[in-house]
Amino acid sequence: QLQLQESGPGLVKPSETLSLTCTVSGGSISSSSYYWGWIRQPPGKGLEWIGSIYYSGSTYYNPSLKSRVTISVDTSKNQFSLKLSSVTAADTAVYYCASSVTAIDYWGQGTLVTVSS
Amino acid sequence: QSALTQPASVSGSPGQSITISCTGTSSDVGSYNLVSWYQQHPGKAPKLMIYEVSKRPSGVSNRFSGSKSGNTASLTISGLQAEDEADYYCCSYAGSSTFWVFGGGTKLTVL
């Protein structure tokens, strides 16, 4: 069974870049079965898909965030990462990493990232 | 504004059944049998309850069932229990450019 764990700073300054990493255990990130992605949830609000990446490197981004998002994979470390540039207070949220096939099967526990000076 | 429309809240008494609707468009719910439902308790990560419209992952109670008609999907919970009280989100695949779209979430209260 896959396990995912997010890591990264919990506080980011406005206009800077948010960077998070997801470490995958219990399976290989190079598996052709899965897409690896990021989903966020602002406090008290609903879920928003940020983007996904296939092990081959193909990426898929939410059109509303596409200009600011980069998702990458490091197969040697069994990790994938999220970078979100030019953040504002509206980017304050719990960020989840997740795996998906025909649904979002496995989720990390989530990490709160606050954008504040 | 979320891509999929869900009621903000539903409620029911223990033992009763409730249904949560999820309305999308012909570009998402109506085009793909890739609707899923997630249960989220406060402070916890979402948990997959239904995938591919009506399939249950191993370990999910058969009190949870899903269906779809046209652009609207539904989650039914029968024999309501106190532990079912949570937020529920629907999600649909919407093509390679949009991938996953979520509903705004429904708060289920067990009276």
Side-chain angles (χ1 to χ4, degrees):
Chain A
Q1 179 159 333
L2 287 177
Q3 295 187 348
L4 295 87
Q5 177 68 59
E6 306 88 352
S7 59
L11 181 63
V12 181
K13 290 183 168 57
S15 80
E16 295 190 343
T17 296
L18 179 160
S19 296
L20 295 174
T21 296
C22 182
T23 300
V24 178
S25 58
S28 172
I29 204 166
S30 299
S31 168
S32 60
S33 300
Y34 292 102
Y35 289 82
W36 309 97
W38 293 91
I39 294 148
R40 69 180 183 179
Q41 184 172 35
K45 296 187 178 181
L47 300 166
E48 179 181 35
W49 172 73
I50 299 170
S52 296
I53 187 167
Y54 197 45
Y55 80 102
S56 62
S58 298
T59 52
Y60 309 84
Y61 298 137
N62 186 322
S64 67
L65 298 170
K66 187 174 184 177
S67 63
R68 299 194 292 132
V69 174
T70 302
I71 297 176
S72 58
V73 166
D74 186 337
T75 54
S76 66
K77 295 182 179 179
N78 226 36
Q79 296 175 335
F80 62 102
S81 298
L82 167 71
K83 291 189 185 299
L84 180 66
S85 64
S86 305
V87 297
T88 70
D91 295 310
T92 293
V94 174
Y95 285 76
Y96 295 99
C97 62
S99 65
S100 64
V101 182
T102 59
I104 304 167
D105 313 83
Y106 296 97
W107 298 68
Q109 66 183 25
T111 186
L112 174 63
V113 179
T114 301
V115 178
S116 176
S117 56
Chain B
Q1 185 172 351
S2 300
L4 307 180
T5 301
Q6 298 180 233
S9 63
V10 298
S11 62
S13 299
Q16 288 186 333
S17 295
I18 63 95
T19 296
I20 300 171
S21 62
C22 170
T23 301
T25 69
S26 58
S27 296
D28 38 63
V29 175
S31 285
Y32 306 97
N33 287 324
L34 294 176
V35 176
S36 50
W37 290 90
Y38 303 86
Q39 177 191 67
Q40 187 180 35
H41 287 109
K44 300 295 187 181
K47 175 187 175 184
L48 178 64
M49 304 302 284
I50 295 288
Y51 68 102
E52 294 178 23
V53 177
S54 60
K55 297 179 180 179
R56 278 189 309 275
S58 175
V60 172
S61 171
N62 60 9
R63 297 186 298 106
F64 292 83
S65 62
S67 63
K68 189 185 88 167
S69 177
N71 296 337
T72 298
S74 299
L75 172 72
T76 297
I77 308 173
S78 60
L80 271 179
Q81 299 180 1
E83 59 261 36
D84 298 333
E85 186 162 293
D87 293 326
Y88 291 84
Y89 292 91
C90 63
C91 178
S92 175
Y93 181 71
S96 60
S97 62
T98 312
F99 232 73
W100 299 115
V101 290
F102 286 98
T106 298
K107 181 175 181 59
L108 169 61
T109 301
V110 180
L111 301 171

